[in-house]
């Protein structure tokens, strides 16, 4: 059976779900994956303890941010599952986003993700750092989709300038 993972991210997830519907075989096991970055709650927790002295555990903003992130991830995965309109598994992970996505893709037959950088033009900047890492390190084939209609091929960046050639002059030696 084919295992397909669709990386669900706020703002671009509908394109990933639509691609899963269009490209995953009917009998595929589809996993909707959401990853919450662990840095934000940790930073809030550290700032609270460091700036305010002795922190009271019940008032730790890091814990509150973790709960909010989990609730938001759940709502996003629910919306994605509803749009998918077929059986799927929902997976929530917390950690370094790009590394969690790569780890989740181990053993998968296809990973679907959306461009998340500059989407006004074609080129390498149409991928943000986490997506670039995932594309470069994914242990399975990757389907990279545009979250909206792609820009014209006229937006391809020009090639880099070629350095001058400093070899022997052409002709017989």
């Amino acid at each position: 059976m084919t295992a397909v993972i669709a990386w669900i991210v706020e703002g671009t997830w509908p394109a990933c779900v639509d691609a899963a519907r269009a490209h995953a075989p009917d009998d595929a096991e589809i996993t909707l994956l959401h990853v919450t970055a662990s840095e934000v709650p940790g930073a809030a927790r550290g700032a609270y303890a460091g700036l305010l002295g002795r922190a009271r555990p019940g008032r730790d903003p890091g814990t509150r941010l973790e709960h909010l992130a989990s609730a938001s991830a759940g709502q996003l995965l629910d919306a994605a599952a509803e749009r998918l309109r077929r059986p799927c598994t929902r997976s929530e992970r917390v950690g370094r986003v790009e590394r969690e996505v790569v780890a989740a893709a181990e053993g998968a037959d296809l990973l679907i993700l959306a461009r998340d950088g500059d989407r006004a033009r074609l080129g390498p900047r149409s991928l943000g750092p986490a997506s670039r890492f995932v594309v470069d390190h994914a242990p399975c084939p990757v389907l990279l989709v545009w979250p909206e209609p792609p820009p014209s091929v006229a937006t391809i960046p020009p090639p880099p300038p070629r350095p001058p050639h400093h070899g022997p002059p052409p002709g017989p030696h």
Side-chain angles (χ1 to χ4, degrees):
M1 185 169 294
T2 303
V4 175
I5 297 177
W7 180 16
I8 303 302
V9 177
E10 183 71 41
T12 61
W13 66 268
C16 292
V17 171
D18 294 348
R21 276 201 343 246
H23 299 287
D26 291 339
D27 65 342
E29 290 183 3
I30 298 176
T31 299
L32 303 175
L33 170 69
H34 182 273
V35 181
T36 300
S38 58
E39 294 88 10
V40 174
R45 189 170 286 117
Y48 180 66
L51 294 175
L52 302 176
R54 284 192 252 178
R56 293 185 212 153
R59 301 177 84 185
D60 179 358
T63 303
R64 176 80 174 128
L65 283 173
E66 285 172 351
H67 292 300
L68 288 172
S70 180
S72 176
Q75 291 171 350
L76 200 57
L77 288 170
D78 288 346
E82 185 176 320
R83 185 178 183 108
L84 184 61
R85 295 187 305 236
R86 59 193 270 191
C88 63
T89 301
R90 300 167 199 186
S91 177
E92 290 183 50
R93 288 178 171 235
V94 176
R96 298 233 6 213
V97 174
E98 63 277 12
R99 293 184 179 275
E100 291 295 326
V101 173
V102 169
E106 188 171 4
D109 296 297
L110 179 65
L111 171 64
I112 301 170
L113 65 127
R115 293 178 183 272
D116 60 349
D118 177 4
R119 298 190 309 258
R121 61 192 51 83
L122 300 174
R125 291 197 173 104
S126 67
L127 289 177
S131 294
R132 170 57 59 198
F133 183 94
V134 170
V135 167
D136 289 346
H137 296 89
C140 65
V142 173
L143 175 58
L144 182 60
V145 298
W146 286 92
E148 60 275 319
S152 161
V153 294
T155 65
I156 294 175
R162 298 183 76 174
H165 181 69
H166 296 293
H173 297 277

